Coordinates of all heavy atoms in Angstrom, one line a residue:
M1 N 68.2 143.0 95.1 CA 69.1 142.5 94.0 C 69.4 141.1 94.4 O 69.7 140.7 95.4 CB 70.3 143.5 93.9 CG 71.2 143.0 92.7 SD 72.4 144.3 92.4 CE 73.3 143.6 91.1
I2 N 69.5 140.2 93.3 CA 69.7 138.8 93.5 C 71.3 138.7 93.6 O 72.1 139.3 92.9 CB 69.3 138.1 92.3 CG1 67.8 138.2 92.1 CG2 69.9 136.6 92.4 CD1 67.2 137.4 91.0
S3 N 71.7 137.9 94.6 CA 73.0 137.7 94.8 C 73.9 137.1 93.6 O 73.2 136.4 92.7 CB 73.3 136.6 96.0 OG 74.6 136.3 96.1
S4 N 75.2 137.4 93.4 CA 75.8 136.8 92.3 C 76.0 135.5 92.2 O 76.1 134.8 91.1 CB 77.1 137.6 92.1 OG 77.8 137.1 93.3
R5 N 75.9 134.7 93.3 CA 76.0 133.3 93.3 C 74.7 132.6 92.6 O 74.7 131.4 92.3 CB 76.5 132.7 94.6 CG 75.2 132.6 95.5 CD 75.6 132.0 96.8 NE 75.9 133.1 97.7 CZ 75.8 132.9 99.1 NH1 75.5 131.7 99.6 NH2 76.0 133.8 99.9
F6 N 73.7 133.3 92.5 CA 72.4 132.7 91.9 C 72.2 133.2 90.6 O 71.1 133.0 90.0 CB 71.2 133.1 92.7 CG 71.2 132.5 94.1 CD1 71.4 133.3 95.3 CD2 71.2 131.1 94.3 CE1 71.3 132.7 96.7 CE2 71.2 130.6 95.5 CZ 71.3 131.3 96.7
N7 N 73.1 133.9 89.9 CA 72.9 134.3 88.5 C 73.0 133.2 87.5 O 72.5 133.4 86.4 CB 73.9 135.4 88.2 CG 73.8 136.6 88.8 OD1 72.7 137.0 89.2 ND2 74.8 137.6 88.9
N8 N 73.6 132.1 87.9 CA 73.7 131.0 87.0 C 72.4 130.1 87.0 O 72.1 129.7 87.9 CB 74.9 130.1 87.4 CG 75.2 129.1 86.5 OD1 74.5 128.7 85.6 ND2 76.4 128.3 86.6
P9 N 71.8 130.0 85.8 CA 70.5 129.3 85.7 C 70.7 127.8 86.2 O 69.8 127.2 86.7 CB 70.0 129.4 84.4 CG 70.9 130.6 83.9 CD 72.0 130.7 84.6
R10 N 71.8 127.2 85.8 CA 72.1 125.9 86.3 C 72.1 125.6 87.7 O 71.7 124.7 88.2 CB 73.4 125.5 85.5 CG 73.3 125.2 84.0 CD 74.6 124.4 83.6 NE 74.4 124.2 82.1 CZ 75.4 123.8 81.3 NH1 76.4 123.6 81.8 NH2 75.0 123.6 80.0
R11 N 72.7 126.6 88.4 CA 72.9 126.5 89.8 C 71.5 126.5 90.4 O 71.1 125.9 91.3 CB 73.8 127.7 90.4 CG 73.9 127.6 91.8 CD 74.9 128.5 92.4 NE 76.1 127.8 92.5 CZ 77.2 128.2 93.0 NH1 77.4 129.4 93.2 NH2 78.2 127.4 93.2
L12 N 70.6 127.6 89.9 CA 69.3 127.7 90.5 C 68.6 126.4 90.2 O 67.9 126.0 91.1 CB 68.6 128.8 89.8 CG 69.0 130.4 90.2 CD1 68.3 131.3 89.4 CD2 68.5 130.4 91.8
L13 N 68.7 125.8 89.0 CA 68.0 124.6 88.7 C 68.4 123.5 89.6 O 67.7 122.7 90.1 CB 68.1 124.3 87.2 CG 67.6 122.9 86.7 CD1 65.9 123.1 86.9 CD2 67.9 122.6 85.3
F14 N 69.6 123.4 89.8 CA 70.3 122.3 90.7 C 69.7 122.4 92.2 O 69.3 121.5 92.8 CB 71.8 122.4 90.7 CG 72.4 121.5 91.7 CD1 72.4 120.1 91.5 CD2 72.9 121.9 93.0 CE1 73.0 119.3 92.4 CE2 73.4 121.1 93.9 CZ 73.5 119.8 93.6
I15 N 69.8 123.7 92.6 CA 69.2 123.9 93.9 C 67.7 123.8 94.1 O 67.2 123.0 95.1 CB 69.5 125.4 94.5 CG1 71.0 125.6 94.7 CG2 68.7 125.8 95.7 CD1 71.4 127.0 94.9
A16 N 66.8 124.0 93.2 CA 65.5 123.8 93.1 C 65.2 122.2 93.0 O 64.4 121.6 93.7 CB 64.9 124.3 91.9
C17 N 66.0 121.5 92.2 CA 65.9 120.1 92.2 C 66.2 119.3 93.4 O 65.7 118.4 94.0 CB 66.7 119.5 91.0 SG 66.1 119.8 89.3
A18 N 67.3 119.8 94.2 CA 67.8 119.3 95.3 C 66.7 119.5 96.5 O 66.4 118.5 97.2 CB 69.1 120.0 95.9
V19 N 66.1 120.7 96.5 CA 65.1 120.9 97.4 C 63.9 120.1 97.2 O 63.3 119.6 98.2 CB 64.8 122.6 97.4 CG1 63.4 122.7 98.2 CG2 65.8 123.4 97.9
A20 N 63.4 120.0 95.9 CA 62.3 119.1 95.6 C 62.6 117.7 95.9 O 61.6 117.0 96.6 CB 62.1 119.3 94.1
A21 N 63.8 117.2 95.8 CA 64.2 115.9 96.0 C 64.1 115.5 97.6 O 63.6 114.5 98.0 CB 65.6 115.5 95.4
L22 N 64.6 116.5 98.3 CA 64.6 116.4 99.8 C 63.1 116.5 100.3 O 62.8 115.5 101.2 CB 65.4 117.7 100.4 CG 65.5 117.7 101.9 CD1 66.1 116.5 102.4 CD2 66.1 118.9 102.4
A23 N 62.2 117.2 99.8 CA 60.9 117.3 100.2 C 60.1 115.9 99.8 O 59.4 115.4 100.6 CB 60.2 118.6 99.4
V24 N 60.5 115.4 98.6 CA 59.8 114.1 98.3 C 60.3 113.1 99.1 O 59.7 112.3 99.6 CB 60.2 113.8 96.7 CG1 60.0 112.4 96.4 CG2 59.4 114.7 95.8
A25 N 61.6 113.0 99.6 CA 62.2 112.0 100.5 C 61.5 112.1 101.9 O 61.1 111.1 102.4 CB 63.6 112.2 100.6
I26 N 61.4 113.4 102.4 CA 60.7 113.6 103.7 C 59.2 113.1 103.7 O 58.7 112.4 104.5 CB 60.9 114.9 104.2 CG1 62.3 115.3 104.4 CG2 60.0 115.2 105.3 CD1 62.6 116.7 104.7
L27 N 58.6 113.5 102.5 CA 57.2 113.1 102.4 C 57.0 111.6 102.3 O 56.1 111.0 102.9 CB 56.5 113.8 101.2 CG 55.0 113.6 101.1 CD1 54.2 114.1 102.3 CD2 54.5 114.2 99.9
S28 N 57.9 111.0 101.6 CA 57.8 109.4 101.4 C 58.0 108.9 102.8 O 57.3 107.9 103.1 CB 58.8 109.1 100.5 OG 58.6 109.6 99.1
W29 N 59.1 109.3 103.6 CA 59.2 108.6 104.8 C 58.0 108.9 105.7 O 57.6 108.0 106.4 CB 60.5 109.4 105.4 CG 60.8 108.9 107.0 CD1 61.3 107.8 107.4 CD2 60.2 109.6 108.0 NE1 61.3 107.8 108.7 CE2 60.6 109.0 109.2 CE3 59.6 110.8 108.2 CZ2 60.4 109.3 110.5 CZ3 59.3 111.2 109.5 CH2 59.7 110.5 110.6
Y30 N 57.4 110.1 105.8 CA 56.3 110.4 106.6 C 55.1 109.5 106.1 O 54.4 108.8 106.9 CB 56.0 111.7 106.4 CG 54.8 112.2 107.3 CD1 54.9 112.2 108.7 CD2 53.5 112.4 106.7 CE1 53.8 112.7 109.6 CE2 52.5 112.9 107.6 CZ 52.7 112.8 108.9 OH 51.6 113.2 109.8
A31 N 55.0 109.2 104.9 CA 53.7 108.5 104.3 C 54.0 107.0 104.6 O 52.9 106.2 104.7 CB 53.8 108.7 102.8
M32 N 55.1 106.5 104.8 CA 55.4 105.0 105.1 C 55.3 104.7 106.5 O 55.4 103.5 106.9 CB 56.8 104.7 104.5 CG 56.8 104.8 102.9 SD 55.5 103.8 102.0 CE 55.9 102.1 102.6
Q33 N 55.1 105.8 107.4 CA 55.0 105.4 108.8 C 53.7 104.6 109.1 O 52.6 104.8 108.5 CB 55.0 106.7 109.7 CG 56.3 107.5 109.5 CD 57.4 106.7 109.9 OE1 57.5 106.1 111.0 NE2 58.5 106.5 109.1
T34 N 53.7 103.6 110.0 CA 52.6 102.9 110.4 C 51.8 103.7 111.4 O 52.3 104.2 112.3 CB 53.1 101.5 111.1 OG1 53.9 100.8 110.0 CG2 51.9 100.6 111.4
V35 N 50.4 103.7 111.2 CA 49.6 104.4 112.0 C 48.4 103.3 112.5 O 48.1 102.5 111.8 CB 49.0 105.6 111.5 CG1 50.0 106.8 111.4 CG2 48.3 105.4 110.2
R36 N 48.0 103.5 113.7 CA 46.9 102.7 114.1 C 45.6 103.4 113.8 O 45.4 104.6 113.8 CB 47.0 102.6 115.7 CG 48.1 101.7 116.2 CD 48.0 101.7 117.7 NE 49.1 101.0 118.2 CZ 49.4 100.8 119.5 NH1 48.6 101.3 120.4 NH2 50.4 100.0 119.8
S37 N 44.6 102.5 113.5 CA 43.2 103.0 113.3 C 42.6 103.5 114.6 O 43.1 102.9 115.8 CB 42.3 102.0 112.7 OG 42.2 100.8 113.6
E38 N 41.6 104.3 114.6 CA 40.9 104.7 115.8 C 40.3 103.5 116.6 O 39.5 102.7 116.0 CB 40.0 105.8 115.7 CG 40.6 107.0 115.2 CD 39.7 108.2 115.2 OE1 38.6 108.2 115.8 OE2 39.9 109.2 114.3
C39 N 40.7 103.2 117.8 CA 40.2 102.1 118.4 C 40.2 102.3 120.0 O 41.2 102.8 120.4 CB 41.0 100.8 118.3 SG 40.5 99.3 118.9
V40 N 39.1 102.0 120.7 CA 39.1 102.3 122.2 C 39.3 100.9 122.9 O 38.7 100.0 122.6 CB 37.7 102.9 122.5 CG1 37.7 103.1 124.1 CG2 37.5 104.2 121.9
V41 N 40.5 100.9 123.6 CA 40.8 99.8 124.5 C 40.7 100.2 126.0 O 41.1 101.3 126.3 CB 42.2 99.2 124.0 CG1 42.0 98.7 122.6 CG2 43.2 100.3 124.2
A42 N 40.5 99.2 126.8 CA 40.5 99.4 128.3 C 41.7 98.7 128.8 O 42.1 97.8 128.5 CB 39.1 98.9 128.9
V43 N 42.3 99.5 129.7 CA 43.5 99.0 130.5 C 43.4 99.1 131.8 O 43.0 100.1 132.4 CB 44.8 99.7 129.9 CG1 46.0 99.2 130.6 CG2 45.0 99.6 128.4
S44 N 43.7 98.0 132.7 CA 43.8 98.3 134.0 C 45.1 97.6 134.7 O 45.6 96.9 134.1 CB 42.5 97.5 134.8 OG 42.6 96.2 134.4
K45 N 45.4 98.2 135.7 CA 46.6 97.7 136.5 C 46.4 97.8 138.0 O 45.5 98.6 138.4 CB 47.9 98.4 135.9 CG 47.9 99.8 136.4 CD 49.2 100.5 135.8 CE 49.3 101.9 136.1 NZ 50.5 102.6 135.7
L46 N 47.1 96.9 138.6 CA 47.0 97.0 140.0 C 48.3 97.7 140.6 O 49.3 97.6 140.1 CB 47.0 95.5 140.6 CG 45.6 94.7 140.3 CD1 45.8 93.3 140.6 CD2 44.4 95.3 140.7
S47 N 48.0 98.4 141.8 CA 49.2 99.0 142.5 C 49.1 98.9 143.9 O 47.9 98.6 144.5 CB 49.2 100.5 142.0 OG 48.0 101.1 142.3
D48 N 50.0 99.1 144.6 CA 50.2 98.9 146.1 C 49.7 100.1 146.7 O 49.2 101.2 146.0 CB 51.5 98.5 146.5 CG 52.6 99.5 146.2 OD1 52.4 100.7 145.8 OD2 53.8 99.2 146.4
G49 N 49.8 100.3 148.0 CA 49.3 101.5 148.7 C 50.0 102.8 148.3 O 49.6 103.9 148.6
N50 N 51.3 102.6 147.9 CA 52.2 103.8 147.5 C 52.0 104.2 146.0 O 52.7 105.1 145.6 CB 53.7 103.4 147.7 CG 53.9 103.2 149.3 OD1 53.3 103.8 150.1 ND2 54.8 102.3 149.7
G51 N 51.1 103.5 145.3 CA 51.0 103.8 143.9 C 51.9 103.0 142.9 O 52.0 103.3 141.7
N52 N 52.8 102.1 143.5 CA 53.7 101.4 142.7 C 52.9 100.3 141.9 O 52.2 99.5 142.6 CB 54.8 100.9 143.5 CG 55.7 101.9 144.2 OD1 55.9 103.0 143.6 ND2 56.0 101.7 145.3
T53 N 53.2 100.1 140.8 CA 52.6 99.0 139.9 C 53.0 97.7 140.4 O 54.1 97.5 140.5 CB 52.8 99.2 138.4 OG1 52.3 100.6 138.0 CG2 52.1 98.2 137.5
L54 N 52.0 96.7 140.6 CA 52.4 95.4 141.0 C 52.7 94.6 139.8 O 52.3 94.8 138.6 CB 51.2 94.8 141.8 CG 50.8 95.5 143.1 CD1 49.6 94.8 143.6 CD2 52.0 95.3 144.0
P55 N 53.6 93.6 139.9 CA 54.0 92.8 138.8 C 53.0 91.8 138.5 O 52.1 91.5 139.3 CB 55.2 92.0 139.3 CG 55.1 92.1 140.8 CD 54.4 93.3 141.2
D56 N 53.0 91.2 137.2 CA 52.0 90.3 136.6 C 52.3 88.9 137.3 O 53.3 88.7 138.1 CB 52.0 90.3 135.2 CG 53.2 89.8 134.4 OD1 54.2 89.5 135.1 OD2 53.2 90.0 133.2
A57 N 51.7 87.8 136.7 CA 51.9 86.6 137.4 C 53.4 86.1 137.0 O 54.0 85.2 137.8 CB 51.0 85.5 136.6
N58 N 54.1 86.6 136.0 CA 55.5 86.2 135.6 C 56.5 87.1 136.3 O 57.6 87.0 136.1 CB 55.7 86.3 134.1 CG 54.8 85.3 133.5 OD1 54.5 84.2 134.0 ND2 54.3 85.8 132.3
G59 N 56.1 88.0 137.2 CA 56.9 89.0 137.8 C 57.3 90.1 137.1 O 58.4 90.8 137.5
R60 N 56.8 90.4 136.0 CA 57.1 91.6 135.2 C 56.1 92.8 135.5 O 55.0 92.6 135.6 CB 57.1 91.2 133.7 CG 57.4 92.3 132.9 CD 57.5 92.0 131.4 NE 57.8 93.2 130.6 CZ 57.7 93.3 129.3 NH1 57.0 92.4 128.8 NH2 58.1 94.5 128.8
V61 N 56.8 93.9 135.5 CA 56.0 95.1 135.7 C 56.0 95.8 134.3 O 57.0 96.1 133.7 CB 56.8 96.2 136.7 CG1 55.9 97.5 136.8 CG2 56.7 95.4 138.1
W62 N 54.6 96.0 133.9 CA 54.4 96.5 132.6 C 54.2 98.1 132.6 O 53.6 98.6 133.7 CB 53.2 96.0 132.0 CG 53.2 94.5 131.7 CD1 53.0 93.4 132.6 CD2 53.5 93.9 130.4 NE1 53.2 92.2 131.9 CE2 53.5 92.5 130.7 CE3 53.7 94.4 129.2 CZ2 53.8 91.7 129.6 CZ3 54.0 93.5 128.1 CH2 53.9 92.1 128.5
S63 N 54.9 98.9 131.8 CA 54.6 100.3 131.8 C 53.2 100.7 131.1 O 52.7 99.8 130.6 CB 55.7 101.0 131.0 OG 55.5 100.7 129.5
D64 N 52.7 101.8 131.3 CA 51.4 102.2 130.8 C 51.4 102.0 129.3 O 50.4 101.4 128.7 CB 51.2 103.6 131.2 CG 50.8 103.8 132.6 OD1 50.5 102.8 133.3 OD2 50.9 104.9 133.1
E65 N 52.4 102.4 128.6 CA 52.5 102.2 127.1 C 52.6 100.8 126.7 O 51.9 100.5 125.8 CB 53.8 103.0 126.6 CG 53.9 102.9 125.1 CD 55.1 103.8 124.6 OE1 55.4 104.8 125.2 OE2 55.6 103.4 123.5
E66 N 53.2 99.9 127.5 CA 53.2 98.5 127.0 C 51.8 97.9 127.3 O 51.4 97.0 126.5 CB 54.3 97.7 128.0 CG 55.7 98.1 127.6 CD 56.6 97.5 128.6 OE1 56.3 97.5 129.8 OE2 57.7 97.0 128.2
L67 N 51.1 98.3 128.3 CA 49.8 97.8 128.7 C 48.9 98.2 127.4 O 48.0 97.4 127.1 CB 49.2 98.3 129.9 CG 49.9 97.7 131.2 CD1 49.5 98.4 132.4 CD2 49.5 96.2 131.2
V68 N 49.0 99.5 127.1 CA 48.0 99.9 125.9 C 48.4 99.2 124.7 O 47.5 98.8 123.9 CB 48.3 101.5 125.9 CG1 47.4 102.0 124.5 CG2 47.7 102.2 127.0
D69 N 49.7 99.0 124.3 CA 50.0 98.3 123.2 C 49.6 96.8 123.2 O 49.0 96.4 122.2 CB 51.6 98.3 123.0 CG 52.1 99.6 122.6 OD1 51.4 100.5 122.1 OD2 53.4 99.8 122.9
R70 N 49.8 96.3 124.3 CA 49.2 94.8 124.5 C 47.8 94.7 124.4 O 47.2 93.9 123.7 CB 49.6 94.3 125.9 CG 49.5 92.9 126.0 CD 50.2 92.5 127.2 NE 49.3 91.6 128.1 CZ 49.6 91.3 129.3 NH1 50.6 91.8 129.9 NH2 48.7 90.6 130.0
A71 N 47.0 95.7 125.0 CA 45.5 95.7 124.9 C 45.1 96.0 123.3 O 44.2 95.3 122.8 CB 44.9 96.8 125.6
Y72 N 45.8 96.8 122.6 CA 45.5 97.1 121.3 C 45.7 95.8 120.4 O 44.9 95.4 119.5 CB 46.2 98.3 120.8 CG 46.2 98.5 119.2 CD1 45.0 99.3 118.9 CD2 47.0 98.1 118.3 CE1 44.8 99.5 117.5 CE2 46.8 98.4 117.0 CZ 45.6 99.0 116.5 OH 45.5 99.3 115.3
E73 N 46.9 95.2 120.6 CA 47.1 94.0 119.9 C 46.2 92.8 120.1 O 45.8 92.2 119.2 CB 48.6 93.4 120.2 CG 49.7 94.3 119.7 CD 49.7 94.5 118.2 OE1 49.4 93.4 117.4 OE2 50.0 95.5 117.7
Q74 N 45.7 92.8 121.4 CA 44.6 91.8 121.7 C 43.4 92.2 120.9 O 42.7 91.3 120.4 CB 44.3 91.7 123.3 CG 45.6 91.1 123.9 CD 45.4 91.0 125.4 OE1 44.5 91.8 126.0 NE2 46.3 90.3 126.2
A75 N 43.1 93.4 120.9 CA 41.8 93.8 120.2 C 41.9 93.6 118.6 O 40.9 93.2 118.1 CB 41.6 95.3 120.5
V76 N 43.1 93.8 118.1 CA 43.3 93.4 116.7 C 43.1 92.0 116.5 O 42.6 91.6 115.5 CB 44.7 94.1 116.2 CG1 45.0 93.5 114.8 CG2 44.6 95.6 116.2
D77 N 43.8 91.2 117.3 CA 43.7 89.8 117.1 C 42.3 89.2 117.2 O 42.0 88.2 116.6 CB 44.6 89.1 118.1 CG 46.0 89.3 117.9 OD1 46.5 89.8 116.8 OD2 46.8 89.1 118.9
S78 N 41.5 89.9 118.0 CA 40.2 89.3 118.2 C 39.2 89.9 117.2 O 38.1 89.7 117.2 CB 39.6 89.7 119.7 OG 39.5 91.1 119.8
G79 N 39.6 90.9 116.4 CA 38.8 91.5 115.4 C 38.1 92.6 115.7 O 37.3 93.2 115.0
R80 N 38.2 93.1 117.0 CA 37.4 94.4 117.5 C 38.0 95.7 116.9 O 37.2 96.7 116.9 CB 37.4 94.4 119.0 CG 36.6 93.3 119.6 CD 36.6 93.3 121.0 NE 38.0 92.9 121.4 CZ 38.6 93.2 122.6 NH1 37.9 93.7 123.6 NH2 39.8 92.9 122.8
C81 N 39.3 95.7 116.5 CA 39.9 96.8 115.8 C 40.7 96.5 114.5 O 41.0 95.4 114.4 CB 41.0 97.4 116.9 SG 40.3 98.0 118.4
D82 N 40.7 97.5 113.7 CA 41.4 97.3 112.3 C 42.9 97.2 112.7 O 43.4 97.9 113.7 CB 41.1 98.4 111.5 CG 39.7 98.3 111.0 OD1 39.2 97.3 110.9 OD2 39.1 99.5 110.7
P83 N 43.7 96.5 111.9 CA 45.2 96.4 112.2 C 45.8 97.8 111.7 O 45.2 98.5 111.0 CB 45.6 95.3 111.2 CG 44.5 95.1 110.2 CD 43.3 95.6 111.0
P84 N 47.0 98.0 112.3 CA 47.6 99.3 111.7 C 48.0 99.2 110.3 O 48.1 98.0 109.8 CB 48.9 99.3 112.5 CG 49.0 98.0 113.4 CD 47.7 97.3 113.2
R85 N 48.1 100.3 109.6 CA 48.5 100.4 108.3 C 49.3 101.6 107.9 O 49.3 102.5 108.8 CB 47.2 100.3 107.4 CG 46.3 101.5 107.6 CD 45.0 101.3 106.7 NE 44.1 102.3 107.1 CZ 43.0 102.6 106.4 NH1 42.8 101.9 105.3 NH2 42.3 103.6 106.6
V86 N 49.9 101.5 106.7 CA 50.8 102.6 106.5 C 50.0 103.9 106.3 O 48.8 103.9 105.8 CB 51.7 102.4 105.2 CG1 52.7 101.4 105.6 CG2 50.9 101.9 104.0
R87 N 50.4 105.1 106.6 CA 49.8 106.4 106.5 C 49.1 106.7 105.1 O 48.0 107.2 105.0 CB 50.6 107.5 107.0 CG 50.1 108.7 107.0 CD 50.9 109.7 107.7 NE 50.8 109.6 109.3 CZ 51.8 109.5 110.0 NH1 53.0 109.3 109.5 NH2 51.6 109.4 111.4
W88 N 49.9 106.4 104.0 CA 49.4 106.8 102.8 C 48.2 106.1 102.4 O 47.3 106.6 101.7 CB 50.5 106.7 101.7 CG 50.9 105.2 101.4 CD1 52.0 104.6 101.9 CD2 50.3 104.4 100.4 NE1 51.9 103.3 101.3 CE2 51.1 103.1 100.4 CE3 49.2 104.5 99.6 CZ2 50.7 102.1 99.7 CZ3 48.9 103.3 98.5 CH2 49.6 102.2 98.8
K89 N 47.9 104.9 102.9 CA 46.7 104.1 102.7 C 45.6 104.8 103.3 O 44.6 104.7 103.0 CB 46.9 102.7 103.0 CG 47.6 101.9 102.0 CD 47.6 100.4 102.4 CE 48.4 99.6 101.4 NZ 48.4 98.1 101.7
Q90 N 45.8 105.4 104.5 CA 44.8 106.1 105.3 C 44.5 107.3 104.6 O 43.2 107.7 104.5 CB 45.4 106.3 106.7 CG 44.3 106.8 107.7 CD 44.8 106.9 109.1 OE1 46.1 107.1 109.3 NE2 44.0 106.9 110.0
W91 N 45.5 108.0 103.9 CA 45.1 109.2 103.1 C 44.1 108.9 102.0 O 43.3 109.7 101.6 CB 46.3 109.8 102.7 CG 47.4 110.4 103.6 CD1 47.0 110.7 104.9 CD2 48.7 110.6 103.6 NE1 48.1 111.3 105.5 CE2 49.2 111.3 104.7 CE3 49.5 110.6 102.4 CZ2 50.5 111.6 104.8 CZ3 50.8 110.9 102.5 CH2 51.3 111.4 103.8
L92 N 44.3 107.8 101.5 CA 43.5 107.4 100.2 C 42.0 107.0 100.8 O 41.1 106.9 99.9 CB 44.1 106.2 99.5 CG 45.4 106.6 98.8 CD1 46.0 105.3 98.2 CD2 45.3 107.8 97.9
G93 N 41.9 106.6 101.9 CA 40.4 106.4 102.5 C 40.3 104.9 102.7 O 40.6 104.0 102.8

């Protein structure tokens, strides 16, 4: 049996519209996220005898993620990889 709070058609319509609006908002947020195209980049780093990463010429130690991001940006700048784009454009092909 349906609960008495759902007997009102206006209330059901309001709940259905609210759920639909929330679903559209979540899908829109997801579709607007930037994604990278498939691209293979090579990354290398130097480490000492204990496995600690050595700093670069400026004294900065780069994390693995920063090295990959930097290599990807260099590949995009040189034209070897496509630039990142919003997800919905990737869905369209």
Side-chain angles (χ1 to χ4, degrees):
M1 184 167 180
I2 296 178
S3 174
S4 63
R5 74 175 101 150
F6 294 116
N7 285 341
N8 186 349
R10 285 187 179 174
R11 178 173 266 179
L12 281 174
L13 180 63
F14 174 76
I15 291 171
C17 289
V19 168
L22 182 61
V24 166
I26 291 171
L27 183 61
S28 298
W29 171 82
Y30 183 73
M32 293 305 295
Q33 297 299 308
T34 303
V35 292
R36 294 179 174 178
S37 60
E38 290 187 25
C39 180
V40 177
V41 294
V43 177
S44 63
K45 63 181 181 176
L46 298 175
S47 59
D48 62 12
N50 296 326
N52 299 322
T53 304
L54 296 175
D56 63 4
N58 298 325
R60 179 169 181 207
V61 176
W62 296 80
S63 71
D64 291 342
E65 185 175 324
E66 290 173 323
L67 289 171
V68 170
D69 289 342
R70 192 168 131 191
Y72 177 76
E73 289 301 322
Q74 289 173 349
V76 168
D77 291 342
S78 69
R80 291 177 294 167
C81 296
D82 292 331
R85 58 185 179 166
V86 289
R87 184 172 274 127
W88 67 268
K89 285 185 179 179
Q90 193 173 20
W91 292 341
L92 297 178

